[in-house]
Amino acid sequence: MIRVFHAPGAFAIDPPPGLSELPAPGEVFVSPQLHEELRKEPGLAQLVPGRERGLIGAQGLAHPDELYAYIGVARDQLKNGGPVTFYGWPYTNDETVEPSTLDIVRFTLSGVVLLPLAVYLSVCARLSAAARARRLAALRLVGLSKKGVQRVNAAETVAAAMLGSALGLGIYAVANQIICRVGLPGFRWYPSDGSLSMSATLICLIGCPALAWFAGSFGARKAATNPLAVRRSAIEKPPPKWGLLPLLPGLGIVTGYCVAGATGHVPRDTSLSSILMPLAVVLVGLGLVLSLPILSRSLSRTVARTSHSLPLGLAMRRNEVEPGGALRVATGLVVLVYAASLAQGVLIELDQVSKNTSPVQSYTLSLDGVTQKRQRVFETVAGVRGHGMEASSWADQEAEFPPIIHAMIATCSQLRGMVPDIGRCTDGRPFRAVNHRETYDEDSKPGASFPFHLRNEMGKKQVMTVQVPTQQVLFGDSSGLSALSSGDVVIPPSFLPDGFRPEGASLTLVSSSAPQTVRAVLDGIGGVDPTVSVMTPGVVVDSLQQITVVKTILGMGMVLGLIIGVAAYLVAATDRAVERRPQVTALSLLGARPRTLRAVQVAQVVLPLAVGLLLAVVAGKAAESSYLVTGGGEVLWDGAGVPLLLACALGVVAVAAVGSLPLIGRRIDPELIRRD
């Protein structure tokens, strides 16, 4: 919640965005979401004092769920304030997501969305490439100039691109209106914030047709330059070896980071890693695309020479002669698996930001102004497995370094819920908690006495003297976030007089450190008292909201990448089916059985795809590990993500195999050969 307290000054100023006037003393303007929360949680009114005058408009809010308030106060009530002459800065101090985290999101979305998109565009640029190339070659042979052939092809592509751009912008406008009102997990936005600017709209309407023009001109170059080779179905040139160049340096960089992480020499130069790591990811992704035809052709030639199977021999010879066809079908799915591995690494790194590495999570609440009845309700919040009161002995403020001790007031069972690794203790007897891995509190000497000032709800005071016991109990804490420190005195609750508590005491609750448990406990605490201040050592609560937003954005990106990758496969598979129909018909007339032809088609697609997926899994995991090594987190190797990635790869192979079966029809159509 953000609150702006305003007192009238010597002269009037323009109100902030979203308000028609500034609140007078005793008046408040609140956001619509805060207005709803005030109705559901009356306790929040303590934080927003005054009479509600109106609501803040959308112009003054970042998103519909924002909790914001302008509170009018008198001049003498405003302390440590500064004069305000205008409202509106070009930046904000309260980002929904930090800029450094946004850079990670942009980098990941570039791999998850833009790489499959580039493959999809390249596939679409070659739609029905063989049939179209033969038609364009025929135009060239009947007298049309080279530029004329390229213009004909580009004009057809531009017309489709203009229609697609307009349709895409219309679909986006409708989707933005629907999704912003429904919302996504973690955040919503106003329709105007998601609307495209005029410049972005013009870029889409002009840039897409321009891109289509260049792609169409390039695609018609072969038909315009050598039409006879196109009409006679000349053998394609083998893919150039330079396609392996981007892959080798990319794998070299990620391998170097992986070796550095495995040998314990984790790089600390973040400026160099911030350049090399994105460069390596791009080089590996580009290398996967360019090296797939080379590897497919080499493997197909080797298998065709050694195999004695007719279907496998036919399939491999076709891939050897035409490696580009397998590239179009398999590349989109290969890049999709590679991008999925990168997304796993980013989610792991972001999860480390908000996740407490300790097995337990503690919550500290000040007990000032909290009744004992409400304290007992706090202690029974769902998810809490241990609790205790922390207090410090009274100290003479005039002394420079007064001796004090810290006490934990809890039973043995409550203490075990807070500190799992603790030795045997006896209920009803105080003891000293000792951890040999921590520095012992020198003031906590056995036999020394310290006064504790107590107070009850009626305001009565009492002094309790605590003598540091000789008995000690060992405890362990690897995280450094335990509720106990070495030298603390553990006092049974029965030692306190009935109804009394130490002054300045705080309540410590402990739960599991699982993120869902932490959220549930925080929600439970807020349900008891929404105005209570909670300290959560080891985790920043604001980061939980950021992680939710980031995961939602990455989830959207992965869904978009999946749609684009599958669309690229479907487009390429359909186009390949159209191109291959004359050859399939010729083989059928020569006596090949439909079962043999289906096996040929499946082998043609599955083998290069399997090679590409294997390379994508290995390269993707290496890139993911190098990303984790350079991220500075505790997790460097994601072994848990390997089975999921392999399952996705096997699923992709199965889908590709099933998608290849419809390429073979049941009826032989010799007309296809006559047309050819």
Side-chain angles (χ1 to χ4, degrees):
M1 182 190 301
I2 299 175
R3 299 172 296 168
V4 178
F5 293 88
H6 180 270
F11 57 91
I13 64 172
D14 294 332
L19 294 185
S20 58
E21 58 179 327
L22 287 164
E27 298 178 345
V28 297
F29 286 91
V30 297
S31 63
Q33 185 63 33
L34 181 55
H35 172 76
E36 295 297 327
E37 295 296 333
L38 287 170
R39 292 176 56 189
K40 293 187 294 184
E41 299 287 352
L44 287 176
Q46 303 176 47
L47 302 180
V48 190
R51 177 177 59 87
E52 185 176 314
R53 174 71 184 277
L55 301 179
I56 304 173
Q59 296 81 4
L61 300 173
H63 52 85
D65 293 332
E66 190 171 18
L67 304 179
Y68 211 99
Y70 290 97
I71 304 173
V73 296
R75 187 67 177 270
D76 57 352
Q77 293 178 296
L78 190 60
K79 298 179 180 179
N80 301 324
V84 178
T85 57
F86 66 95
Y87 277 94
W89 289 98
Y91 60 88
T92 177
N93 294 325
D94 303 286
E95 296 93 349
T96 303
V97 180
E98 294 179 356
S100 59
T101 306
L102 277 180
D103 293 337
I104 298 175
V105 174
R106 294 188 183 101
F107 164 70
T108 309
L109 289 181
S110 298
V112 174
V113 179
L114 293 185
L115 276 179
L117 180 62
V119 173
Y120 178 72
L121 292 178
S122 64
V123 168
C124 290
R126 299 191 60 183
L127 276 177
S128 301
R132 184 179 58 203
R134 293 174 63 82
R135 177 171 52 82
L136 295 174
L139 292 175
R140 179 75 177 93
L141 291 173
V142 298
L144 195 62
S145 64
K146 292 182 180 180
K147 290 186 177 180
V149 171
Q150 292 179 343
R151 288 170 181 171
V152 168
N153 188 45
E156 294 176 353
T157 310
V158 167
M162 292 182 65
L163 178 62
S165 300
L167 184 62
L169 291 174
I171 293 175
Y172 174 79
V174 175
N176 177 54
Q177 294 290 332
I178 295 175
I179 298 178
C180 71
R181 287 172 170 79
V182 176
L184 295 172
F187 71 105
R188 292 192 301 158
W189 63 93
Y190 289 106
S192 58
D193 293 333
S195 300
L196 292 179
S197 63
M198 182 59 67
S199 59
T201 303
L202 291 177
I203 289 175
C204 292
L205 292 177
I206 298 175
C208 291
L211 182 63
W213 172 270
F214 288 109
S217 300
F218 180 80
R221 182 180 303 175
K222 181 179 179 180
T225 304
N226 194 357
L228 286 177
V230 174
R231 292 297 301 175
R232 292 172 180 174
S233 300
I235 298 176
E236 291 187 6
K237 293 182 180 180
K241 299 295 184 182
W242 60 263
L244 294 173
L245 291 180
L247 185 63
L248 298 179
L251 287 178
I253 295 174
V254 299
T255 303
Y257 278 125
C258 290
V259 172
T263 56
H265 299 84
V266 179
R268 301 299 180 188
D269 188 356
T270 57
S271 59
L272 181 62
S273 298
S274 63
I275 298 175
L276 289 181
M277 195 60 238
L279 178 63
V281 170
V282 173
L283 288 176
V284 172
L286 184 62
L288 286 175
V289 176
L290 297 179
S291 63
L292 190 57
I294 304 173
L295 299 177
S296 175
R297 186 173 185 272
S298 302
L299 180 64
S300 299
R301 176 182 293 181
T302 302
V303 174
R305 289 175 179 175
T306 58
S307 175
H308 299 287
S309 170
L310 176 61
L312 190 58
L314 286 174
M316 295 302 100
R317 288 303 182 187
R318 170 53 61 180
N319 282 347
E320 180 185 355
V321 174
E322 190 189 0
L327 169 69
R328 280 181 287 157
V329 176
T331 304
L333 301 177
V334 170
V335 171
L336 184 62
V337 172
Y338 172 68
S341 182
L342 284 178
Q344 280 185 341
V346 174
L347 290 176
I348 290 173
E349 184 187 359
L350 293 176
D351 188 56
Q352 294 182 77
V353 176
S354 61
K355 186 178 180 180
N356 188 353
T357 56
S358 171
V360 296
Q361 174 63 51
S362 61
Y363 315 82
T364 303
L365 296 76
S366 175
L367 291 177
D368 291 340
V370 177
T371 63
Q372 292 191 3
K373 180 180 179 181
R374 180 160 291 182
Q375 175 186 341
R376 288 190 290 270
V377 178
F378 279 133
E379 295 169 352
T380 58
V381 168
V384 173
R385 67 186 193 187
H387 59 84
M389 278 192 298
E390 291 186 72
S392 299
S393 61
W394 178 83
D396 185 3
Q397 300 299 328
E398 296 182 358
E400 185 175 1
F401 297 105
I404 60 172
I405 61 170
H406 302 282
M408 173 65 69
I409 304 170
T411 64
C412 288
S413 60
Q414 294 170 355
L415 199 60
R416 289 192 185 95
M418 301 171 65
V419 187
D421 186 13
I422 192 170
R424 185 176 180 180
C425 69
T426 304
D427 279 322
R429 295 183 60 183
F431 60 86
R432 291 178 293 120
V434 178
N435 186 351
H436 293 308
R437 295 184 178 181
E438 294 182 2
T439 302
Y440 186 82
D441 185 5
E442 296 181 356
D443 291 339
S444 183
K445 298 177 181 179
S449 298
F450 294 86
F452 282 79
H453 287 197
L454 309 180
R455 184 193 297 268
N456 65 4
E457 295 181 3
M458 305 301 295
K460 294 182 179 180
K461 297 182 179 181
Q462 189 173 336
V463 177
M464 179 182 69
T465 302
V466 175
Q467 188 177 26
V468 179
T470 57
Q471 181 186 0
Q472 67 178 23
V473 175
L474 300 179
F475 76 97
D477 175 31
S478 58
S479 65
L481 300 174
S482 173
L484 286 179
S485 297
S486 187
D488 286 356
V489 177
V490 178
I491 302 174
S494 57
F495 274 44
L496 295 178
D498 188 27
F500 282 83
R501 286 187 317 209
E503 290 183 347
S506 60
L507 176 65
T508 299
L509 309 176
V510 173
S511 73
S512 166
S513 61
Q516 60 272 20
T517 304
V518 174
R519 286 182 177 275
V521 172
L522 289 173
D523 289 342
I525 294 174
V528 177
D529 185 356
T531 64
V532 69
S533 176
V534 184
M535 301 293 292
T536 53
V539 63
V540 181
V541 178
D542 292 344
S543 67
L544 296 176
Q545 175 68 13
Q546 289 198 27
I547 296 302
T548 301
V549 174
V550 170
K551 286 184 176 180
T552 300
I553 295 175
L554 289 181
M556 292 177 60
M558 294 181 70
V559 170
L560 285 174
L562 176 63
I563 294 173
I564 294 171
V566 172
Y569 167 74
L570 293 177
V571 168
T574 304
D575 182 54
R576 184 175 172 82
V578 173
E579 292 183 357
R580 292 283 297 138
R581 281 191 304 177
Q583 289 85 357
V584 170
T585 302
L587 290 174
S588 299
L589 291 176
L590 289 174
R593 294 179 298 178
R595 181 183 303 175
T596 302
L597 295 177
R598 290 191 180 94
V600 170
Q601 295 298 325
V602 171
Q604 281 181 335
V605 175
V606 168
L607 188 62
L609 179 60
V611 174
L613 288 177
L614 180 61
L615 186 60
V617 170
V618 174
K621 295 308 295 183
E624 176 192 359
S625 299
S626 61
Y627 177 80
L628 293 175
V629 168
T630 59
E634 297 293 333
V635 179
L636 302 183
W637 315 104
D638 175 27
V642 175
L644 177 61
L645 206 60
L646 292 177
C648 293
L650 292 176
V652 166
V653 172
V655 170
V658 174
S660 302
L661 296 179
L663 301 182
I664 306 300
R666 294 185 177 182
R667 185 175 63 87
I668 298 175
D669 187 5
E671 183 71 13
L672 293 173
I673 294 181
R674 191 190 69 78
R675 291 176 182 174
D676 186 57

